[in-house]
Amino acid sequence: MAIANAGTSVSNSFVTMFSDDVKQAYQQSSSNLVDAVRVVRNVTGSTYKFHKLSKGGSVKNKDRFADVIAMSDTSKSLGSGSYAGSTAQNSVVTATLNNYHSGEYIDELDQFKTNVDLRGTFASAIASGLNRAIDQEIVDALDAASPTTDIAAGSGLTKAKFLEVHEAMNDLNIPTSDRCIIISPQALTDLLSDTNLVTAADGLVSNTALTSGYIPNVFGFRVIMSTLLTKNSVVRDCYAIHKDAVGLALAQDITARIDYVPSKASHLVLGTMSGGSTVIDSDGVVNIQVTE
């Protein structure tokens, strides 16, 4: 498609290519944490309410022909029956959505319109900025929550502390599937340095760790390293979470565009995203305070 005015316009085909580049870069270098949480897309509004249903129970020895009573209905008599377990209660937690912009001004239009490498460089930079925004939303939600379990790892993250986290989640009946642990680079070094966990003779996991310098999973937890975790003095807040315990609501996933800005005599290449995160169930979050 021809360019009507090289000074103030960019062809529609180029804008489409740039948008596709950003989306591809966004997917290939995806957020570290988005796959570890529950995600709801196409949200309408500035907030989103995640529903939480607490642990339920069942009626033991219901009277013959008696009505089945809902777990949440405590106003009715159970007759000779009784509840086995607790009563389910439905509640909601709210995620507030924030708007994010990642962009840059380009004044060398001819080069930008024809140079694929430069286009790809800006697409990658914009995608990375939005990925970090999503991860920061999740970390901020974890920091703002009040987890049921706090574990202090005064000498760093070790196999013993990992087992303590594992037991704490088991005690709360957190499902063993879809668990992950979000740790800092120093905490990963602590694990790699723990000879009780990683030795040359330990087998597949340790061999992978020794050759790659990374531990993909331990005791059923997928290990995720993040540089965004909050540090207070010498204590870093790391987290073990279950996927359903943390929610991410996205009103708008990544959108890319190019606009001419006369006051800048430049084009603005821009990526935008709108989303927010919250902790749904504090039982499914363990705060691990790692001393670094």
Side-chain angles (χ1 to χ4, degrees), residues 55 73 130-131 173 194 271:
K55 296 179 178 66
D73 189 351
L130 295 173
N131 283 328
N173 293 316
D194 187 349

Side-chain angles (χ1 to χ4, degrees), residues 23-24 38 79 89 100 104 107 238 262 288:
K23 290 177 182 177
Q24 183 176 0
R38 176 181 165 189
Q89 297 293 330
Y100 291 92
E104 187 55 273
D107 56 7
C238 299
I288 311 160

Side-chain angles (χ1 to χ4, degrees), residues 156-158 183-192 236 238 290 292:
L157 186 57
T158 61
I183 61 176
S184 65
Q186 178 62 55
L188 176 60
T189 299
D190 293 338
L191 287 178
L192 291 169
R236 180 85 63 180
C238 299
V290 178
E292 296 186 345

Side-chain angles (χ1 to χ4, degrees), residues 119-273:
R119 189 183 76 222
T121 298
F122 277 90
S124 178
I126 288 174
S128 296
L130 295 173
N131 283 328
R132 287 193 298 272
I134 287 178
D135 282 359
Q136 190 65 63
E137 277 286 332
I138 295 171
V139 171
D140 288 347
L142 291 170
D143 286 346
S146 299
T148 301
T149 307
D150 293 303
I151 292 176
S155 57
L157 186 57
T158 61
K159 177 183 178 181
K161 286 299 176 183
F162 221 128
L163 287 171
E164 193 174 336
V165 173
H166 187 260
E167 183 178 353
M169 297 189 84
N170 290 341
D171 283 343
L172 292 170
N173 293 316
I174 305 303
T176 55
S177 61
D178 292 326
R179 290 183 185 182
C180 77
I181 186 166
I182 308 164
I183 61 176
S184 65
Q186 178 62 55
L188 176 60
T189 299
D190 293 338
L191 287 178
L192 291 169
S193 302
D194 187 349
T195 56
N196 291 318
L197 181 66
V198 180
T199 66
D202 272 346
L204 181 61
V205 171
S206 62
N207 288 340
T208 301
L210 291 169
T211 55
S212 67
Y214 186 72
I215 303 176
N217 53 72
V218 181
F219 305 132
F221 289 83
R222 180 161 64 95
V223 179
I224 302 174
M225 185 178 67
S226 174
T227 58
L228 299 177
L229 294 168
T230 304
K231 184 176 183 180
N232 299 304
S233 184
V234 297
V235 176
R236 180 85 63 180
D237 286 321
C238 299
Y239 295 95
I241 66 174
H242 185 269
K243 187 168 187 173
D244 289 339
V246 183
L248 173 68
L250 294 172
Q252 177 189 291
D253 216 324
I254 183 171
T255 299
R257 60 184 296 167
I258 301 176
D259 294 301
Y260 183 71
V261 183
S263 62
K264 299 286 187 181
S266 302
H267 278 76
L268 172 64
V269 293
L270 178 67
T272 58
M273 182 271 296

